[in-house]
Amino acid sequence: MRSFFFTSESVTEGHPDKVSDQISDGVLDAVMRDDPSGRVACETFVTTRLALVGGEITADGDLDVEGIVRRTIREIGYDGFDPEFDASTLQFENRIHPQSPDIAGGVGGSDAPLGAGDQGIMFGFAVDETEELMPLPIQLAHRLAERLAEVRKTGKLDYLRPDGKTQVMVRYEGSRPASVEKVLISTHHQEGIDKEQMSREVFDTVVTEVIPQGMMSESLDFIFNPSGNFVIGGPVADTGLTGRKVIVDTYGGYARHGGGCFSGKDATKVDRSAAYAARWAAKNLVAAGVASKLEIQLSYAIGRPEPFSIHVETFDTHELDPERIEGVVTEVFDFRPGVIIDHLGLTSPIFRPTAAYGHFGRPGFAWEQLDKVEDIRRAAGL
């Protein structure tokens, strides 16, 4: 039986790229509250003393972009400890303009079926190695990052700052995860805190709370802040840009990625909505027992409602003929953008929570619901 190692990483909500993602999705949510038919393609750039928001937005209602920017940054935690990036004092620039009429015309409106907002390829994936039907390495990396933010915000480790990264290496025996062999945490922190103290306390309050006892290797290698000090962090240490963490956002490199980011895009952009739908379909198919590992590829042409193509890959874990599985997929799921948007509720202001700690494998998102399992089993004759 082949043994191998696989590693995935996550980042905290205070990572510069995630600051940008949350601002862009905060703008999207504000548009959706006032105008669910609004069109948004919003990009954010953050660096020392500056936040710049640009892109294409066409919507009814007033949009307080500066207020969204400052509020989001404050809620993340950049509020007073570093004058080089502070919610109250940073410079704000607005470079938003309306959506191109060519794109708007191609997507269509109420008189015709909604067409895809762009061409592209999207992937959805599920595997039965965790309760959430996610790959174990990325699931644990996300939960470590989330826990880092929790102990910071509750004051349990009040010397932590918002920026941070996690990395988890899992040993597989055959196709199954066997143990967690390495954990890496790099976390932004207040000046003057002893590194050994931080390492011990982060391990005790974060690592042991997240890594299941039965999965933790007896020889676990815990690496903490390997570069030494991490006093300067966030957008002061590195620029942030919307859409630069697409592997973190999806499956941690365990499954393929079509290349398009999610944050700041309304659901007519199939980069986002079709990737959500493909995950929803893949998760339901694995939960129904069609396969233990399954990936769906969707592709679209701009302005066309029907997918350009649909492909299903089971990695030889299928319980029925792969061609039959593709027939079940087309019978049970409708991947036209308008149908996806309606079924998953993608005109509601639900997007900012997706912008940190992963878009998949988290309860509460509509694309994580297992509402098609019985339909799949019936169609598949299982």
Side-chain angles (χ1 to χ4, degrees):
M1 182 181 293
R2 180 187 174 219
S3 176
F4 65 94
F5 300 96
F6 194 88
T7 300
S8 292
E9 71 160 350
S10 183
V11 297
T12 65
E13 64 204 65
H15 184 281
D17 294 330
K18 284 289 139 196
V19 173
S20 295
D21 285 344
Q22 289 168 92
I23 291 170
S24 294
D25 273 339
V27 171
L28 172 60
D29 280 351
V31 171
M32 293 295 103
R33 285 188 192 97
D34 291 341
D35 183 6
S37 64
R39 297 286 183 263
V40 178
C42 178
E43 311 287 348
T44 302
F45 170 80
V46 292
T47 188
T48 304
R49 296 182 178 269
L50 173 68
L52 185 154
V53 180
E56 301 80 47
I57 297 179
T58 300
D60 293 333
D62 296 326
L63 188 60
D64 179 16
V65 179
E66 182 174 359
I68 294 165
V69 168
R70 296 191 188 278
R71 183 167 58 251
T72 302
I73 292 170
R74 185 173 294 111
E75 290 171 355
I76 290 169
Y78 291 105
D79 187 22
F81 71 85
D82 188 347
E84 295 298 294
F85 193 78
D86 184 276
S88 300
T89 60
L90 60 80
Q91 179 185 349
F92 165 73
E93 293 191 22
N94 187 336
R95 294 292 184 270
I96 290 171
H97 56 273
Q99 184 184 54
S100 157
D102 291 344
I103 294 175
V107 173
S110 57
D111 295 335
L114 189 68
D118 201 352
Q119 75 171 57
I121 59 173
M122 303 85 208
F123 290 93
F125 181 78
V127 61
D128 68 354
E129 61 188 47
T130 62
E131 180 181 345
E132 299 84 4
L133 303 183
M134 285 286 287
L136 182 64
I138 188 64
Q139 194 68 12
L140 292 179
H142 281 322
R143 302 295 73 79
L144 288 169
E146 206 167 31
R147 177 67 176 166
L148 267 180
E150 182 182 347
V151 298
R152 169 176 63 88
K153 290 180 174 181
T154 60
K156 182 167 281 191
L157 299 183
D158 59 1
Y159 51 76
L160 297 185
R161 298 305 192 204
D163 196 359
K165 287 186 173 184
T166 67
Q167 201 159 280
V168 177
M169 185 179 85
V170 174
R171 179 175 62 86
Y172 283 76
E173 292 290 345
S175 62
R176 308 305 298 177
S179 59
V180 175
E181 297 291 327
K182 289 186 180 182
V183 172
L184 166 61
I185 291 181
S186 294
T187 183
H188 192 189
H189 61 86
Q190 180 182 329
E191 191 168 10
I193 309 300
D194 179 72
K195 182 179 176 181
E196 293 304 316
Q197 173 196 343
M198 284 192 289
S199 176
R200 184 175 60 255
E201 293 181 344
V202 167
F203 185 84
D204 290 343
T205 63
V206 177
V207 177
T208 61
E209 291 293 319
V210 171
I211 307 298
Q213 190 62 39
M215 289 297 296
M216 194 179 296
S217 171
E218 292 182 2
S219 58
L220 178 77
D221 186 7
F222 175 54
I223 303 167
F224 180 78
N225 278 9
S227 66
N229 275 347
F230 194 170
V231 172
I232 301 171
V236 178
D238 194 8
T239 59
L241 189 64
T242 300
R244 273 205 304 214
K245 285 292 177 283
V246 295
I247 301 303
V248 169
D249 284 343
T250 53
Y251 306 102
Y254 195 100
R256 285 174 283 200
H257 194 291
C261 78
F262 302 153
S263 290
K265 297 177 179 177
D266 73 80
T268 65
K269 281 75 172 174
V270 283
D271 279 341
R272 184 170 215 158
S273 54
Y276 288 178
R279 161 63 180 172
W280 169 55
K283 184 176 182 181
N284 275 268
L285 287 157
V286 170
V290 165
S292 59
K293 181 190 293 188
L294 189 142
E295 181 183 77
I296 295 178
Q297 185 205 50
L298 303 175
S299 69
Y300 291 84
I302 188 169
R304 301 281 185 90
E306 299 288 347
F308 186 82
S309 67
I310 300 172
H311 172 70
V312 179
E313 172 62 63
T314 65
F315 309 96
D316 294 325
T317 68
H318 47 270
E319 295 296 327
L320 68 158
D321 183 86
E323 288 188 11
R324 178 65 187 130
I325 294 175
E326 291 194 352
V328 170
V329 169
T330 57
E331 181 179 339
V332 174
F333 295 96
D334 188 335
F335 293 119
R336 290 176 295 170
V339 177
I340 293 170
I341 290 168
D342 288 344
H343 188 86
L344 299 182
L346 300 182
T347 57
S348 300
I350 60 169
F351 296 104
R352 187 184 154 191
T354 70
Y357 312 118
H359 292 248
F360 307 127
R362 298 166 63 192
F365 297 154
W367 48 94
E368 293 294 314
Q369 63 190 339
L370 295 175
D371 59 340
K372 292 293 187 180
V373 171
E374 292 308 315
D375 292 342
I376 291 167
R377 292 183 64 84
R378 192 161 42 245
L382 294 174

